[in-house]
């Protein structure tokens, strides 16, 4: 993503989740995402989430997917929940071309049916 900023300060909004139901698929992994903008690292986060609070809304579904998500049953998103949007302050971006790079550090090899659904927005204020 590249954008030439017209005004003052900027905030980067990022939403990312892995999908892929095959054994070892991205929805069953916790990755570390690193964001670089303006030639420097502006943020880093884990995609790991705890889905326990959503189990109550899926009484006829697969209750196992809602348990132990931060340990033995990792998930990068929860059925029935929104994927978290994270915000990163870029500081003064007036007149600068803002290019964003997303790095994904995975603990295991990528599985063929997997992908990452990603949304990146630059908010000027």
């Amino acid at each position: 993503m590249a954008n030439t900023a017209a005004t003052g300060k900027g905030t980067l909004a990022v939403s990312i989740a892995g999908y892929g139901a095959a054994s070892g698929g991205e929805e069953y992994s916790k990755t570390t995402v690193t964001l670089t903008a303006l030639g420097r690292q502006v943020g880093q986060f884990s995609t790991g989430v705890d889905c326990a609070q959503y189990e109550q809304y899926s009484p006829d579904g697969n209750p196992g997917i809602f348990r132990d998500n931060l340990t033995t049953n990792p998930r990068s998103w929860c059925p029935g929940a929104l994927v978290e949007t994270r915000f990163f302050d870029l500081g003064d971006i007036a007149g600068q071309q803002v290019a964003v790079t997303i790095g994904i550090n995975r603990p295991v090899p990528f599985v063929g049916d997997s992908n990452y659904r990603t949304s990146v927005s630059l908010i000027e204020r």
Side-chain angles (χ1 to χ4, degrees), residues 22-101:
S23 178
E26 293 308 306
E27 65 187 72
Y28 304 113
S29 68
K30 293 186 288 189
T31 60
T32 300
V33 176
T34 304
L35 302 164
T36 304
L38 302 170
R40 61 184 166 83
Q41 182 177 319
V42 296
Q44 186 176 58
F45 60 91
S46 170
T47 60
V49 294
D50 184 2
C51 300
Q53 66 181 320
Y54 300 103
E55 182 177 359
Q56 64 182 317
Y57 303 114
S58 184
D60 297 326
N62 177 357
I65 64 176
F66 297 97
R67 299 182 190 151
D68 303 318
N69 301 132
L70 297 176
T71 56
T72 58
N73 183 29
R75 307 248 343 145
S76 70
W77 58 273
C78 300
L82 296 174
V83 173
E84 181 179 358
T85 299
R86 294 166 173 92
F87 298 90
F88 302 92
D89 184 23
L90 298 179
D92 186 7
I93 60 172
Q96 297 187 61
Q97 183 172 7
V98 180
V100 177
T101 302

